[in-house]
Amino acid sequence: MKKKRIWIFGGVLLFAILIAAFILYRESPYTYVKEERVINYALKGSRSDFELLHTYLDDENRTIEYEILSSEVAETDQYFIIANRTNEYLEKHTDYFLNEGFRISLCFVSNSSGAPAIVRISNWNTDKTENDVRVMDRLGCVRVWNNSELSGFWMGDMEDISLYENIRAVILDKGVYINDLSVFLSFPKLEYFRFYARLSDEDKVYYNSYSDEEVSRIRELLPTCEILAVSIEE
């Protein structure tokens, strides 16, 4: 009876080891799921605060989106560490299939249901129409939704400025407001910036948005950048 128990225990232990090994392999950059190799590499060291929920691959239209759940304590720099590790993997593996003109997005969400979205970091300007889409050589477009205030993501709270040097487009959703305009000087390659502007000071009671004076200041800070100030009524 004692020997039988030992065999049972040994079998259960072996099974647990195999399961653990499979999970580690499945979440590694060497996984058999080719479209998840890059995101597994990107998430390494960050899985305590981020979890891959879904991968949406469309081979025909050459698009892929990784939906990632972020914890409430995740900090802004961590999002861009993941984006930069994605860039790093693509640079190191030039023969990886996503380098063949795929539009790549990391969509961070605050709920396991997939909503609401916090921020999307992609390798194309998501404001552009289908005919105007230009795939960048790295993830350089950042779109921030107003739900970001419910998370740890806040573009005015950056610490390691070097993480942001490859940003080329910033899109702020209605209600997203960064009061320290000098933040935008941290993006030396910024080519496109879209945000919401208010028509009057009274509008700020209802929406966080930029005044005419602030819009002028942004244009001074970013003279070579395409600036799109959208009325909050649109």
Side-chain angles (χ1 to χ4, degrees), residues 178-219:
I178 301 172
N179 56 5
D180 183 4
L181 298 180
S182 64
V183 164
F184 302 111
L185 295 176
S186 304
F187 313 139
K189 297 180 181 179
L190 194 63
E191 302 170 352
Y192 179 89
F193 182 30
R194 193 256 283 173
F195 54 88
Y196 281 84
R198 59 182 181 270
L199 299 178
S200 66
D201 288 338
E202 287 75 19
D203 289 334
K204 194 172 183 182
V205 175
Y206 305 101
Y207 298 104
N208 284 327
S209 50
Y210 292 94
S211 66
D212 288 343
E213 183 180 349
E214 288 172 316
V215 172
S216 297
R217 179 57 178 156
I218 290 171
R219 294 187 189 280

Side-chain angles (χ1 to χ4, degrees), residues 14-51:
L14 178 60
F15 181 74
I17 292 173
L18 290 174
I19 291 295
F22 177 78
I23 292 173
L24 289 174
Y25 169 67
R26 182 68 173 77
E27 294 183 349
S28 80
Y30 307 102
T31 177
Y32 63 92
V33 185
K34 66 175 184 177
E35 62 266 28
E36 293 186 2
R37 292 170 188 167
V38 60
I39 195 63
N40 286 348
Y41 179 88
L43 289 173
K44 185 178 180 180
S46 299
R47 290 190 181 272
S48 60
D49 291 319
F50 296 90
E51 176 189 351

Side-chain angles (χ1 to χ4, degrees), residues 43 45-53 67-79 82 107-112 116 118-119 147-154:
L43 289 173
S46 299
R47 290 190 181 272
S48 60
D49 291 319
F50 296 90
E51 176 189 351
L52 178 64
L53 293 180
E67 190 175 73
I68 303 168
L69 176 65
S70 62
S71 72
E72 295 180 356
V73 298
E75 299 179 351
T76 303
D77 282 3
Q78 291 179 270
Y79 292 79
I82 293 171
C107 185
F108 297 90
V109 299
S110 58
N111 191 288
S112 58
I118 298 171
V119 60
N147 296 304
S148 61
E149 65 185 22
L150 303 175
S151 70
F153 184 90
W154 183 247

Side-chain angles (χ1 to χ4, degrees), residues 80-91:
F80 289 92
I81 287 173
I82 293 171
N84 286 337
R85 283 184 62 83
T86 301
N87 292 331
E88 183 179 298
Y89 184 92
L90 295 172
E91 290 172 4

